[in-house]
Amino acid sequence: MTKEQENNQKNKCKYKIAQIASLTGAELKGQADILVDNACGVQESNQSSVTFVDQKDYLKQALNSKAPVIVSSYQIYSELDSKLNSQKTFLLTDNPRRVYALAAAALTARPYQSQKISKKAVIDQSAKLGKNLSIHPGVVIAENTKIGDNTILAPGVIIGPEVEIGANCLLHPGVIIERDSIIKKRVIIQSGAVIGSDGFGYATDSDGHHKIPQQGNVIIESGVEIGANVTIDRGASGPTIIKRGSKLDNLIQIAHNVEVGEESLLISQTGIAGSTKLGKRVTLGGQAGVVGHIELADQTTAAARAMVTASTKKGDFISGAPAQNHRQALKEQAYLRRLPKYIEKIKKLEQKLKELESK
Amino acid sequence: MTKEQENNQKNKCKYKIAQIASLTGAELKGQADILVDNACGVQESNQSSVTFVDQKDYLKQALNSKAPVIVSSYQIYSELDSKLNSQKTFLLTDNPRRVYALAAAALTARPYQSQKISKKAVIDQSAKLGKNLSIHPGVVIAENTKIGDNTILAPGVIIGPEVEIGANCLLHPGVIIERDSIIKKRVIIQSGAVIGSDGFGYATDSDGHHKIPQQGNVIIESGVEIGANVTIDRGASGPTIIKRGSKLDNLIQIAHNVEVGEESLLISQTGIAGSTKLGKRVTLGGQAGVVGHIELADQTTAAARAMVTASTKKGDFISGAPAQNHRQALKEQAYLRRLPKYIEKIKKLEQKLKELESK
Amino acid sequence: MTKEQENNQKNKCKYKIAQIASLTGAELKGQADILVDNACGVQESNQSSVTFVDQKDYLKQALNSKAPVIVSSYQIYSELDSKLNSQKTFLLTDNPRRVYALAAAALTARPYQSQKISKKAVIDQSAKLGKNLSIHPGVVIAENTKIGDNTILAPGVIIGPEVEIGANCLLHPGVIIERDSIIKKRVIIQSGAVIGSDGFGYATDSDGHHKIPQQGNVIIESGVEIGANVTIDRGASGPTIIKRGSKLDNLIQIAHNVEVGEESLLISQTGIAGSTKLGKRVTLGGQAGVVGHIELADQTTAAARAMVTASTKKGDFISGAPAQNHRQALKEQAYLRRLPKYIEKIKKLEQKLKELESK
C-alpha cells in the first residue's frame, strides 16, 4: 500500500462522533465533533476510542478510561451520578451491543483490502471481474466465473469453474469455492472453508458403493458468514442453501440439499445430515447433530450437543440425545441423579414387605 | 476450454440408451436409439435425461416429466397401468439406485479434467508423471513422487515428497498429501482433506511432552473416496490404511495406525482413535467416536453419535454412549423415560407399607 | 536436494550411540561406538536402528531383531537372562518412552528442510526474514511479518499481515496464519490448520446479527504442536492463548479468548467455547466439549466425549454429559443398566402389597 492509500484508508475509518450516531441510530449526548478512529474494550481504549458499557458495574471503569465516547443504554445513563459524566460523550440506545457493533464495523478496516489484482494470482481470461477488487497472490480463478464489485479474495483462495460471487464479499485465505456455487452479497467466509464439496451419495450392491454424481450446487445468500474449515456439500440434485443473514461457526458440516433458514446461528462442530430444512432464526448449540430429512421450525433452539432426531414446532427448545423438550430433559437428568437413592428405597421396601409377610 | 474441447467433452458424455443399458446391466424396454446426455431427478429433467423412480408413488411424476428414459425396478414396472407408459423407455433392474448411479457416472464429465499441465503448477523435476494428466495452477509436486495416468490434480493441490498416486484419481482443490503417502487407483479426495499428518504421539515426563517422530505413512487403496477437510494421520511406525472401496464423509479424524476395512462407510464428523481396526463393510453414523486399540468386526454398524468403547462381533448393531446392543440401548432409553412414573410408585409403596405396618 | 546436501543431512542424523546416551540422559550398557541412523519399532528395525521395549513380553522379539541398540527400563533389564543379551547394547532409563522419543527426534530429519527460499514463494518486501529458512513454492508472506531463524514453511503456507513467527518452527503444507498472530519458538503446525480466524461474535436485533469486529489476536507459545485442520479463533479483544508445550490433536475448535494452560493435551475433535481458561496439564479426551466462561483447574482430566459445563478443581477427573466426577458417572451408568431389573421389582412389590392389603 502506498503512503497515499494508507492515508486514504485511515481517513475512511476516522469519523466525527455525530456521524457514528447517525450511522447507528443512537442518540448523542455530549460533544458532536469528537474525532474517533477505533472501537474497543475499556481496557484497550485510547483518546480516539469508542467504548461500550452494557452493565452498570462496568460504568465507573469506562468513565475513568481514556475513551472519549461511551456507548450505553438509556437505563444505565439515567442512573448515572450527574457529577461523574461531565468528561464523556455518550451514544445512547436500547441495544448497546448493536450500536457498538455497527460503530466498530464502521471504524474497522476490512482485512486484505489491497484494491489491487496481484500478478501472482492466476485468473482465467473468461472470468468477469467487477470493480475495485482485491485479489491476492496465490488466488486461482477458473473459467466462466463472475466476481462482484469490492470483493476481496485473500491469498490462496480458489474459485472453481462457473462460480458466481456477489459484491462486497470477503473470502479469507485458503477458502475453496467449488464449481457452480453461487455466493451472493456481503458474504464473509473464514479460512479453509470448503463450499460445494460432493455430497455423500452411493448406490450399494454386492460389488461395492457406486458414486451417485452430485449434480446440484451450493447457494450462500447475502449477509451470511461461514466459519473456518466448515464444509458445505453441494446438492445431489438441486441446491444446498444457506439463507440470508445466517452465521455459521467453525468446523461445521452441512450435507447435501440441507436448507438453513434466514438469520440462523450454528455454533461450532455442528453437523446437519442430508435434506434437512431449518426455518428462520434456528439456533444449534456447539457439537449438535441433526439427522436427515426432518424440519426444524422457525426459532427452534437446540442446546449444545443435542442430537436432534425429529422435526420441531415453532419456538421449541430442545436438548439431550436423543433431543427432547429441554425442561423434560433436565427433569430426566435430575431423576437419573436420584436413581441410586430410589434403588436403595426399593431394597428397603422388599425387606419390610418380607417382614410383614412373615408375621 | 476451447469450443472444440467443449464439444469433445460433450460428445463423450452423449450415449444411445442401448449403450447405457449394456454398461449398467439393465434391461431395456422401449426405444434403443434414444440419445441421452444427462441423468437427474424428475424435476430437473429435460428431453435428453435419464431419470429414476424407486418408489411407486413417484412414478406418475416421472411419466409426466420431460425425461425420455426412466430407471426403475421390475416390481414397479409390473404394476404399471399399460396405458400410461407408452411414451417412456425403461431401464429395468432389481437395484435401480445402482443402475442410476452407473448411468449418471457415465453421463457426467469428471470435474477439473483439463488434460493439460499448467505452467503455473510447480513440479519437481524428479517427479514421474503419467499420461494424460490434468494438473492445475497452484499445484505443488515435491521430489521423488509418482502420478499415475489420467489423474486430475485440481488447483492448489499439494503433493509432498516420496508420494505415489495411482491412475484415474481425482484430487479436488486444496487437497494435501503429506510425504510418503500411497494413494492407489480411482481414489477421489474432496477439497481440504489432509492425508498423512503426524499422529498424536508424545512421551511425557516432568519436563513436558516429547514428540515421538511419526515414521509410518498412509495407504489409501483403490476406489476409496475421502470427504472435505478430513484428516488422516500417518502411522507412528507402519501404515494407517483405508482399504478398497471405503467411503469417508467430511470432517472425519482417522488417527495413527488405524485400519478401515473394505467398503466401509464412515459418516461425517466421525473420529477413530489410534490402532483401531475396522473390518469389511463397517458403518459408523455421524459424529460417532471409536476408542483406540479395539477391533470392529465385519458388518458392524454403529449408529450416529455412538461412542464405541469395545470390540464387536460380526454384524453387531450398536448405539449410545458408551455403545451397547442397539435394542438394549433403546430399551434403556425407554425405561429412563418412564423413570419419573416409577419413582412415584416407589413413594406410594412406601406410604402404603407404612399404613400396613401401623395397623 | 543435491547429492551433497543429501549426504550432509544423512550425516547429521548419524550418531555414535554414546552421543545418543548423552543427549537423552540414558545409561549405556554395551558398545559405545555403534553407529545408528534411525529409531523404529522392532519389526522395521535394521542394522543401524535404535529400538524400544517397555514391556517384558516384547523383549525376546527385540533381542532377535536386527537392531543393535535397545532402549529399555532398568526393571526389564534386571530380569533379563544373562545368556540372551550378549549381542545387544542397551540404553537404560526409568522412562524408556522419553528416551526413545528424544533419540528418535535426534535421528529423524525435519521434513521440508530445504534450507532454500523458493522463487515460487511470494514474499512481501517488508517481511523480516531470519537465517537458514526453508520457504517452499506456493508460500505467501504478507506485509510487516517476521520469520525467525531455521523456520520451515512447507508448500502453500499463508502468513497474513503483521504476523510474527519465532525460530525453529515447522509449518506443514497449507497452514494459514491470519493477521496479527504471534507464534513463538519450536512450534509445529500440521497441515490445513487455521490460526486467527474471526471469533463468533454478533449483536442481534430484529434486523439480524451484526458482526462485532474481532480485534484481538492469537498467541501460540513455544513448544506447542497444533494438529491438522484445527481452528483457533482470534480474541474479540485481547488474545486467545495456547501456552507453552501444549499439544492439540486434529480438527479441534478453540473459540475467541480461550486460554489453554501449559503442557495441556487436547485430543481430536474437541471444542472449547469462548473465554474459557484451562490450567496447566489439563487433558481433554476426544470429542469433548467445554462451555464458555468457565475455568478448568490444573491437571483436570475430562474423558472422551465429556460435555464440561462447570469449572473444576485441581486434579478433577470428570466424564459424561453433562460431565460429573468420573466415579459418580460410572455408578450412574451402572444403575441405569440395572434399571429394568428394579422396575420389575417395583411391579412385584405392588402386587405383593395388594395381596397383603386384601388379606
Side-chain angles (χ1 to χ4, degrees), chain A residues 266-311:
Chain A
L266 311 190
I267 312 304
S268 72
Q269 297 183 316
T270 295
I272 304 180
S275 300
T276 279
K277 313 277 177 235
L278 275 56
K280 290 184 195 178
R281 294 229 173 186
V282 168
T283 301
L284 300 181
Q287 299 185 333
V290 185
V291 302
H293 298 275
I294 65 173
E295 295 197 17
L296 304 191
D298 294 353
Q299 293 154 44
T300 294
T301 297
R305 196 67 79 73
M307 178 171 135
V308 185
T309 57
S311 293

Side-chain angles (χ1 to χ4, degrees), chain A residues 125-171:
Chain A
Q125 59 183 13
S126 63
K128 287 182 185 154
L129 301 183
K131 291 173 195 166
N132 197 27
L133 298 179
S134 303
I135 301 183
H136 284 260
V139 167
V140 179
I141 300 178
E143 62 272 16
N144 304 323
T145 45
K146 285 186 200 168
I147 316 285
D149 297 347
N150 305 312
T151 280
I152 298 172
L153 305 181
V157 166
I158 295 172
I159 308 294
E162 316 288 337
V163 166
E164 287 181 33
I165 297 180
N168 296 300
C169 291
L170 165 56
L171 275 56

Side-chain angles (χ1 to χ4, degrees), chain A residues 178 205 209 211 215 237, chain B residues 39 44 98 112 172 263 281:
Chain A
E178 275 275 14
D205 63 16
H209 311 294
K211 183 175 177 76
Q215 302 175 328
S237 142
Chain B
E44 296 83 20
R98 172 210 157 101
Y112 301 104
H172 279 264
E263 298 178 5
R281 294 228 174 186

Side-chain angles (χ1 to χ4, degrees), chain A residues 122 140 158 160-161 176 178-179 192 194 197-198 200 202-213 215 229-231 233 237-238 251-253 269-271 287-289 305-307 321-322 324 332 335-336 339 342 345-346 349 352-353 356, chain B residues 39-41 44 95 97-98 100-102 104-105 108 111-112 120 137 155-156 172-174 188 190-192 225 228-229 245 247-251 263 265-269 281 287 304-305 333 336-337 339-340 343 346-347 349-350 353 356-357:
Chain A
V122 182
V140 179
I158 295 172
I176 292 166
E178 275 275 14
R179 61 200 188 282
V194 172
S197 38
D198 279 354
F200 196 72
Y202 303 92
T204 296
D205 63 16
S206 59
D207 291 345
H209 311 294
H210 308 287
K211 183 175 177 76
I212 298 171
Q215 302 175 328
N229 283 348
V230 161
T231 59
D233 283 345
S237 142
L251 288 171
I252 286 170
Q253 151 71 355
Q269 297 183 316
T270 295
Q287 299 185 333
R305 196 67 79 73
M307 178 171 135
Q324 56 179 328
E332 195 173 288
Y335 279 113
L336 188 57
L339 189 54
Y342 282 97
K345 288 192 181 209
I346 292 170
L349 283 169
K352 282 189 180 171
L353 207 60
L356 271 179
Chain B
C40 62
E44 296 83 20
N95 186 345
R97 277 177 65 84
R98 172 210 157 101
Y100 179 74
L102 295 176
T108 303
Y112 301 104
K120 300 291 174 73
H172 279 264
I188 299 174
Q190 298 293 327
S191 295
E225 182 161 358
N229 282 347
K247 311 294 181 183
L248 278 65
D249 202 347
N250 298 342
L251 288 171
E263 298 178 5
L265 291 176
L266 311 190
I267 311 306
S268 72
Q269 298 182 318
R281 294 228 174 186
Q287 299 184 334
R305 195 69 76 75
Q333 208 179 90
L336 189 57
R337 297 269 143 121
L339 189 54
I343 284 183
I346 292 170
K347 289 177 183 165
L349 282 169
E350 283 182 312
L353 207 60
L356 269 179
E357 285 175 326

Side-chain angles (χ1 to χ4, degrees), chain C residues 282-296:
Chain C
V282 167
T283 301
L284 300 181
Q287 299 185 335
V290 185
V291 302
H293 297 276
I294 65 172
E295 295 196 18
L296 304 192

Side-chain angles (χ1 to χ4, degrees), chain C residues 34 49 96 100 134 234 244 262 280 298 316 320:
Chain C
I34 293 173
S49 296
Y100 179 74
S134 303
R234 67 182 49 241
R244 185 185 48 73
E262 289 88 348
K280 290 184 194 178
D298 295 352
D316 277 356

